[in-house]
Amino acid sequence: MPLRIRVRNAETGATVDMELEAENTVEEIIEGAAGYWEKDPGAYVLRCGKRLLRGQQTVVDAKIMDSDQLELIPDPEGG
Amino acid sequence: MKPPTVLQGKERDTIEAPPPPRKRWAPHKWIKEESLEALREKEGNVIELFISKLAEEKMRNHSIAHAAERREVMGLMLGGFYKNEGNVYSIVRDVVTTDLEASSVRVRFNRGGFEQLFESLDRCGFDYIIVGWYHSHPGHGCFLSSTDIDTQKSLFSGRQHTALVLDPIAEEIRAFYLENGEVLERCFGIYWDDYQNPYYNRAVKMRKVRSNPDGMPPPEGGLGLSKTLHENRNESVEE
């Protein structure tokens, strides 16, 4: 049974609704959302509330639930 | 297995609101004279970035706290994008940071520090947008290095997004943005809210002393502090 979630882009406040399978990974969710906003997926992290979601975790491992709102957070590097 | 499917996207509307009035913002005290000249030239036009006094103090204090060890600091600037009479501007209301992996020439968030960062985001108390980022170059001056430009291009490529750079040793601060891939400097103002003004909505009036219980004349130059406090408690004050 697919899940529906919402991902918020923290840099613009825009949102995207996505449909996920239980085996989809966090990395794939980041790629899907970042791709939609034409961003570099490698420069972001995804959070669910206060939890950092790890790239190789699946939807089940990361305990992502139907109707959850995730947030794409920039991970900058300064030099 | 099917990859995640994007169903629909929704943009956030830019709020129509006037920027802080001229009497409630000022150039930063670390802005160099030449940059201030540019700011003055722009004053008649539109300032596109306003940073709250609170956020500015947090960034400046953060950079100063690690200046002696020459360690860079970094954080995210929270606020929103607004429009006024067709012009878009950004407001930085607060900043957040967490544990860092930092040296004198490089900085990024510590991998174990993200949950603390998320907690700070939730605690900010308003519906934020990350309008940019700040970091310091202790003793190196304010500019965007090639690493900074890569970060700006991959994360903050919108014209409204800002990279703020502080040098706590040289006491310098500059803001940058990208336009058509080119790095440009942005003029900005530090604004304060009325609630940050200790005299908000109160006129400070001269107090008149009606009587002197000790029968002594006030000391030359007026009443001392302890005398004033004593009289405030015991005597009526005419306003």
Side-chain angles (χ1 to χ4, degrees), chain A residues 42-59:
Chain A
Y44 290 87
V45 296
L46 195 64
R47 74 156 171 151
C48 181
K50 289 179 181 49
R51 282 188 299 127
L52 173 71
L53 305 183
R54 310 275 171 183
Q56 292 309 312
Q57 284 180 316
T58 63
V59 166

Side-chain angles (χ1 to χ4, degrees), chain B residues 54-212:
Chain B
L54 168 86
E56 183 277 325
E57 280 176 1
K58 282 187 182 178
M59 292 188 279
R60 188 157 41 95
N61 289 341
H62 193 196
S63 72
I64 289 169
H66 297 281
E69 57 203 279
R70 302 250 170 176
R71 232 159 39 97
E72 291 195 9
V73 300
M74 187 185 76
L76 301 173
M77 302 196 292
L78 312 182
F81 299 128
Y82 300 86
K83 59 184 173 190
N84 182 56
E85 297 174 349
N87 299 307
V88 177
Y89 65 94
S90 32
I91 292 238
V92 177
R93 294 175 60 184
D94 204 351
V95 294
V96 287
T97 187
T98 186
D99 297 337
L100 301 169
E101 290 169 13
S103 70
S104 63
V105 291
R106 226 162 189 78
V107 64
R108 65 179 311 178
F109 293 133
N110 184 301
R111 304 293 91 186
F114 275 105
E115 292 182 2
Q116 190 187 322
L117 184 82
F118 302 156
E119 209 170 305
S120 301
L121 287 170
D122 290 338
R123 267 205 318 262
C124 81
F126 57 92
D127 186 18
Y128 63 84
I129 287 175
I130 297 172
V131 299
W133 63 301
Y134 73 90
H135 76 292
S136 65
H137 286 172
H140 299 296
C142 297
F143 58 94
L144 289 193
S145 67
S146 56
T147 305
D148 303 337
I149 293 171
D150 287 345
T151 289
Q152 199 69 10
K153 283 182 176 166
S154 58
L155 292 166
F156 301 106
S157 55
R159 192 187 184 285
Q160 270 67 46
H161 287 116
T162 301
L164 193 87
V165 186
L166 306 98
D167 181 345
I169 293 170
E171 297 195 343
E172 192 184 346
I173 186 168
R174 291 171 77 184
F176 302 94
Y177 67 101
L178 286 179
E179 189 165 59
N180 302 321
E182 192 187 348
V183 176
L184 299 172
E185 185 167 1
R186 167 165 279 151
C187 293
F188 62 97
I190 306 300
Y191 79 94
W192 53 94
D193 285 322
D194 275 339
Y195 66 78
Q196 290 172 326
N197 179 350
Y199 299 116
Y200 170 59
N201 214 17
R202 277 172 50 200
V204 180
K205 295 177 181 175
M206 185 68 79
R207 293 174 185 272
K208 287 181 185 171
V209 180
R210 278 186 174 166
S211 63
N212 184 343

